[in-house]
Amino acid sequence: VTGVQTCALPISVRAQFAAAARVKRCDWGHDLSQGPLLLLPELSQLRTASRLLRAEAQVAMEDGKAEDAAATMLLLGTMGMQAGQERNLVGSLVGTAIGGSAMPALMQDAIDGGGIDQKTAQAMLDSLGPLKGDDPFRYADAVRGERDMLVKWLGAIKSDDEFQKQLAEVGYAVPPDMR
């Protein structure tokens, strides 16, 4: 291999991310009666996708394609907002990691690099749109969602033995003196 080749996400993958980012409200279809046993595999997938997109934005900046980087940052902001729609604290935390932590660092790199004009700088600021407001990752909704999930989970448990079995499934052993 000679030289260095810039790598980017395949068009089809990028198009899928862009299409998913156009979804304003995500309903992941979770069964809240599972309580703390509920699995959230989509959050891991969103986190992985965000790492790919963050790398793509950094490569675009290094290649002098600031407008492409701004468009990718918009996708990251939207993905972060969508993760916060989970109505649980893990979703809000993942949303913060995707949209809240990565975006400002990428923008600062772009500004420090000096490779952006005023139009692109404005596009980057506009890309923060999904993250504006008092609670962009919906922590207040997450706390209510956690409460609702716990109430449904506890309401579905019919006996002390079943409750202890459920606790054991999440790794908690009830001390003998509390049984």
Side-chain angles (χ1 to χ4, degrees), residues 30-118:
H30 293 138
D31 176 8
L32 298 182
S33 67
Q34 293 180 39
L37 301 175
L38 179 65
L39 299 177
L40 307 166
E42 68 279 357
L43 292 178
S44 175
Q45 294 164 1
L46 281 173
R47 192 80 169 102
T48 299
S50 76
R51 288 182 183 111
L52 291 170
L53 288 172
R54 187 172 39 234
E56 184 175 83
Q58 289 171 328
V59 168
M61 286 305 305
E62 290 169 8
D63 288 349
K65 299 176 183 175
E67 289 184 27
D68 291 347
T72 300
M73 285 186 245
L74 176 58
L75 291 177
L76 283 166
T78 302
M79 287 172 62
M81 178 196 66
Q82 289 170 333
Q85 293 174 353
E86 285 275 346
R87 292 199 72 225
N88 61 60
L89 290 171
V90 174
S92 293
L93 290 167
V94 169
T96 300
I98 292 171
S101 302
M103 297 266 298
L106 281 172
M107 290 188 164
Q108 191 61 53
D109 288 348
I111 292 166
D112 291 347
I116 61 171
D117 57 19
Q118 189 171 8

Side-chain angles (χ1 to χ4, degrees), residues 113-162:
I116 61 171
D117 57 19
Q118 189 171 8
K119 177 184 169 193
T120 304
Q122 186 60 51
M124 290 176 143
L125 288 173
D126 292 345
S127 75
L128 291 172
L131 305 178
K132 292 181 180 172
D134 293 338
D135 190 12
F137 304 110
R138 304 179 97 144
Y139 281 94
D141 285 345
V143 170
R144 285 188 288 276
E146 293 277 346
R147 179 202 59 216
D148 294 347
M149 182 173 59
L150 186 60
V151 166
K152 285 183 182 187
W153 178 64
L154 291 172
I157 296 174
K158 304 297 181 207
S159 69
D160 286 345
D161 287 341
E162 184 181 350

